[in-house]
Coordinates of all heavy atoms in Angstrom, one line a residue:
K1 N -10.3 -4.2 -1.1 CA -11.5 -4.4 -1.8 C -12.6 -4.9 -0.9 O -13.8 -4.5 -0.9 CB -11.3 -5.3 -3.0 CG -12.5 -5.5 -3.9 CD -12.2 -6.4 -5.0 CE -13.4 -6.7 -5.9 NZ -13.2 -7.6 -7.0
R2 N -12.2 -5.9 -0.1 CA -13.2 -6.5 0.8 C -13.7 -5.5 1.9 O -14.9 -5.4 2.1 CB -12.6 -7.7 1.5 CG -13.4 -8.3 2.7 CD -14.7 -8.9 2.1 NE -14.5 -10.0 1.3 CZ -14.4 -11.3 1.7 NH1 -14.4 -11.6 3.0 NH2 -14.2 -12.2 0.8
V3 N -12.8 -4.7 2.4 CA -13.2 -3.7 3.4 C -14.1 -2.7 2.8 O -15.1 -2.3 3.4 CB -11.9 -3.0 4.0 CG1 -12.4 -1.8 4.9 CG2 -11.1 -4.0 4.8
Y4 N -13.8 -2.3 1.5 CA -14.7 -1.3 0.8 C -16.1 -1.9 0.6 O -17.1 -1.2 0.8 CB -14.1 -0.9 -0.5 CG -14.9 0.1 -1.3 CD1 -14.8 1.5 -1.0 CD2 -15.7 -0.3 -2.3 CE1 -15.6 2.4 -1.7 CE2 -16.5 0.6 -3.0 CZ -16.4 1.9 -2.7 OH -17.2 2.8 -3.4
E5 N -16.1 -3.1 0.2 CA -17.4 -3.8 0.0 C -18.2 -3.8 1.3 O -19.5 -3.6 1.3 CB -17.2 -5.2 -0.6 CG -16.7 -5.2 -2.0 CD -16.3 -6.5 -2.5 OE1 -16.2 -7.5 -1.6 OE2 -16.0 -6.7 -3.7
Q6 N -17.6 -4.2 2.4 CA -18.3 -4.3 3.6 C -18.8 -2.9 4.1 O -19.9 -2.8 4.6 CB -17.3 -4.9 4.7 CG -17.0 -6.4 4.5 CD -16.0 -6.9 5.4 OE1 -15.3 -6.1 6.1 NE2 -15.8 -8.2 5.5
Q7 N -17.9 -1.9 4.0 CA -18.3 -0.6 4.5 C -19.3 0.1 3.6 O -20.1 0.9 4.0 CB -17.0 0.3 4.5 CG -16.1 -0.1 5.6 CD -16.7 -0.1 7.0 OE1 -17.4 0.8 7.4 NE2 -16.5 -1.2 7.8
T8 N -19.4 -0.4 2.3 CA -20.5 0.1 1.4 C -21.8 -0.3 2.0 O -22.8 0.5 1.8 CB -20.3 -0.4 0.0 OG1 -19.0 0.0 -0.5 CG2 -21.4 0.1 -0.9
D9 N -21.9 -1.5 2.6 CA -23.1 -1.9 3.1 C -23.4 -1.3 4.5 O -24.6 -1.2 4.9 CB -23.1 -3.5 3.4 CG -23.0 -4.2 2.0 OD1 -23.5 -3.7 1.0 OD2 -22.5 -5.3 2.0
L10 N -22.4 -0.8 5.2 CA -22.6 -0.3 6.5 C -22.7 1.3 6.5 O -23.2 1.8 7.5 CB -21.4 -0.7 7.4 CG -21.2 -2.2 7.7 CD1 -20.0 -2.5 8.5 CD2 -22.4 -2.8 8.4
Q11 N -22.2 1.9 5.5 CA -22.1 3.4 5.5 C -23.1 3.9 4.4 O -23.5 3.2 3.5 CB -20.7 3.9 5.1 CG -19.6 3.3 6.0 CD -19.8 3.8 7.5 OE1 -20.2 4.9 7.7 NE2 -19.4 2.9 8.4
S12 N -23.4 5.2 4.5 CA -24.2 5.9 3.5 C -23.4 6.1 2.3 O -22.1 6.2 2.4 CB -24.8 7.2 4.1 OG -23.7 8.1 4.3
P13 N -24.0 6.2 1.1 CA -23.2 6.4 -0.1 C -22.3 7.7 -0.1 O -21.3 7.8 -0.8 CB -24.3 6.5 -1.2 CG -25.5 5.8 -0.6 CD -25.4 6.1 0.8
T14 N -22.7 8.7 0.7 CA -21.9 9.9 0.8 C -20.9 9.9 1.9 O -20.3 11.0 2.1 CB -22.9 11.1 1.0 OG1 -23.6 10.9 2.2 CG2 -23.9 11.2 -0.2
S15 N -20.7 8.8 2.5 CA -19.7 8.7 3.6 C -18.3 9.1 3.2 O -17.9 8.5 2.1 CB -19.8 7.3 4.2 OG -18.7 7.2 5.2
P16 N -17.6 10.0 3.9 CA -16.2 10.3 3.5 C -15.3 9.1 3.6 O -14.3 9.0 3.0 CB -15.8 11.4 4.5 CG -16.8 11.2 5.6 CD -18.1 10.7 5.0
L17 N -15.7 8.1 4.4 CA -14.9 6.9 4.6 C -14.7 6.2 3.2 O -13.6 5.7 2.9 CB -15.5 6.0 5.6 CG -14.8 4.6 5.8 CD1 -13.4 4.8 6.2 CD2 -15.6 3.7 6.7
L18 N -15.8 6.1 2.5 CA -15.7 5.4 1.2 C -14.8 6.1 0.2 O -14.0 5.4 -0.5 CB -17.2 5.2 0.6 CG -18.2 4.5 1.5 CD1 -19.5 4.4 0.8 CD2 -17.7 3.0 1.8
A19 N -14.9 7.4 0.2 CA -14.0 8.2 -0.7 C -12.6 8.0 -0.3 O -11.7 7.9 -1.2 CB -14.5 9.6 -0.7
E20 N -12.3 8.0 1.0 CA -10.9 7.9 1.4 C -10.4 6.5 1.2 O -9.2 6.3 0.9 CB -10.8 8.2 2.9 CG -11.0 9.7 3.2 CD -10.8 10.1 4.7 OE1 -10.0 9.4 5.3 OE2 -11.4 11.1 5.1
L21 N -11.2 5.5 1.3 CA -10.8 4.1 1.0 C -10.4 4.0 -0.5 O -9.4 3.4 -0.8 CB -11.9 3.1 1.3 CG -12.1 2.7 2.8 CD1 -13.4 2.0 3.0 CD2 -10.9 1.9 3.2
I22 N -11.2 4.6 -1.3 CA -10.9 4.6 -2.8 C -9.6 5.3 -3.1 O -8.7 4.8 -3.8 CB -12.0 5.2 -3.6 CG1 -13.3 4.3 -3.5 CG2 -11.6 5.4 -5.0 CD1 -14.5 4.9 -4.2
T23 N -9.4 6.5 -2.4 CA -8.2 7.2 -2.6 C -6.9 6.5 -2.2 O -5.9 6.4 -3.0 CB -8.2 8.6 -1.9 OG1 -9.3 9.3 -2.3 CG2 -6.9 9.4 -2.1
V24 N -6.9 5.9 -1.0 CA -5.8 5.2 -0.5 C -5.5 3.9 -1.4 O -4.4 3.6 -1.7 CB -5.9 4.8 0.9 CG1 -4.8 3.9 1.4 CG2 -5.9 6.1 1.8
S25 N -6.6 3.3 -1.8 CA -6.4 2.1 -2.6 C -5.8 2.4 -4.0 O -4.9 1.7 -4.5 CB -7.8 1.4 -2.8 OG -7.7 0.3 -3.6
T26 N -6.3 3.5 -4.6 CA -5.8 3.9 -5.9 C -4.4 4.3 -5.8 O -3.5 3.9 -6.7 CB -6.7 5.0 -6.5 OG1 -8.0 4.6 -6.5 CG2 -6.2 5.4 -7.8
R27 N -4.0 5.1 -4.8 CA -2.6 5.6 -4.7 C -1.7 4.4 -4.4 O -0.5 4.4 -4.8 CB -2.5 6.6 -3.6 CG -3.1 8.0 -3.9 CD -2.6 9.0 -3.0 NE -3.4 10.2 -3.0 CZ -3.4 11.2 -3.9 NH1 -2.7 11.1 -5.0 NH2 -4.2 12.2 -3.8
S28 N -2.2 3.4 -3.6 CA -1.4 2.3 -3.3 C -1.0 1.5 -4.5 O 0.1 0.9 -4.6 CB -2.1 1.4 -2.3 OG -2.3 2.1 -1.1
K29 N -2.0 1.4 -5.5 CA -1.7 0.6 -6.7 C -0.7 1.4 -7.5 O 0.2 0.8 -8.2 CB -3.0 0.5 -7.5 CG -4.0 -0.5 -6.9 CD -5.2 -0.7 -7.6 CE -6.2 -1.6 -7.0 NZ -7.5 -1.8 -7.7

């Protein structure tokens, strides 16, 4: 969650990194 929040500030909203972070986080849960 912290990494996602930080990268949200550093990346554009359409960055594939944000989408992949959400995917891995969701599957991990």
